Amino acid sequence: MPTIEAPRATAALARLFRRSLAQGSVNPLLPLLRHYHGVLAPLAIAESTHAASQERAPHVPITLSELQRAVIALPSLPQAVQEALAALQAEGISATAIAERIEHDQAMVARTLRAANTAFYGAPGRVATIRAAISILGLRAVSALLTAVAVSARFPAQANIPLNFKQFWRGALTTAIIARELAPVVRLDADVAFTAALLHDVGVLALATSFPAAYGTVQQYAHQADVPLWQAERVVLGVDHGVAGELLAHRWHLPAVITSAIAAHHAPPASTGSGTATLTELVHIADALAHGVVPQEDAHEAVPEVSVDTWSRFNVSVELCLDVLRSSGAAADALCEALAS
């Protein structure tokens, strides 16, 4: 739990929920995050420095064909990782064959083993080879881990790209860890959930890498108008990172269920009436919770809107959620360090 003085914690939480409070809408995650931050006092509506309606939106449109060409130009995933990803949706994949392919890439091996030996995976110091990782953690868990290694390696930090890569990956990994831990509660596969949540914002990487000047304009407008990043993308670019992420997921041949979660994680499709949560909804919830537990230095951070209907499908106890949230930060930091080149 964060160690922040009560007045500062209250102000920080009000800032995180400022959009819901200003609109008078109910965000069902607020009671849970009150517990997490130790805030009991009423929340005052934080005044935004700039009102969205007063900001003149710049327009730097990107056509769908331009975006498609940009995605095609991005690096592909290694064949070994694509084969490992197939293990997330099919049985009978040869673990030996995948291990042999991975072992040819020593940089990938080193980063994968560093991550596999973090406390998050429960086997610190015990994983010495890729084959041992598969034996101890399971092929599906190693497949998810390989995806993290491969994608982070393909989008290295660059000075000309308007993105805080450390912050991006910490957020992505926090979301992935929360999704993985909550997945069994809603009867979803934990490793598929980890992979989908890890990649939920991969479209941000695609847009910022391919169109750095335009994306800088997006970020500036999002901050000045105090609107969610995906809304700023639609206003400024005419497309958002869900569209870009879906295109990239298709190019990387990701499983369809993961592709759908990437595309719609900000606005999950309406419930089919089954009463059970979907993978897209799990990623949506994990993303919102991750925004609620980030360090408080970023004044632009906000918890995304979540519907009461969506949250009602997560029959999870407050105690379990708090345990997951309290452990997610340290686990994300350890994985970030392990994945750093």
Side-chain angles (χ1 to χ4, degrees), residues 116-191:
N117 278 293
T118 62
F120 174 66
Y121 284 101
R126 292 170 51 202
V127 184
T129 66
I130 291 296
R131 292 167 197 259
I134 293 173
S135 175
I136 295 170
L137 306 181
L139 179 57
R140 296 166 71 82
V142 173
S143 298
L145 185 53
L146 281 170
T147 305
V149 170
V151 175
S152 62
R154 267 145 184 74
F155 290 97
Q158 299 178 44
N160 66 319
I161 296 176
L163 192 64
N164 183 325
F165 281 80
K166 182 178 179 180
Q167 186 180 69
F168 175 89
W169 283 114
R170 190 184 192 281
L173 285 163
T174 302
T175 304
I177 290 163
I178 293 172
R180 185 179 189 268
E181 297 304 305
L182 293 182
V185 178
V186 289
R187 297 178 179 152
L188 292 171
D189 185 281
D191 297 310

Side-chain angles (χ1 to χ4, degrees), residues 230-321:
W230 63 270
Q231 289 185 10
E233 291 165 350
R234 290 183 182 180
V235 170
V236 177
L237 305 178
V239 295
D240 62 37
H241 64 265
V243 174
E246 183 178 18
L247 289 173
L248 187 54
H250 281 304
R251 180 169 185 269
W252 285 348
H253 307 292
L254 298 183
V257 67
I258 292 177
T259 300
S260 297
I262 291 170
H265 68 274
H266 282 297
S271 171
T272 59
S274 66
T276 58
T278 64
L279 178 64
T280 301
E281 289 174 326
L282 174 59
V283 173
H284 175 63
I285 291 293
D287 176 41
L289 289 171
H291 282 280
V293 300
V294 294
Q296 302 300 317
E297 292 83 16
D298 187 356
H300 302 295
E301 191 61 80
V303 174
E305 294 295 319
V306 169
S307 74
V308 173
D309 183 54
T310 299
W311 181 237
S312 69
R313 283 188 282 285
F314 288 78
N315 187 22
V316 53
S317 70
V318 171
E319 291 75 16
L320 174 60
C321 271

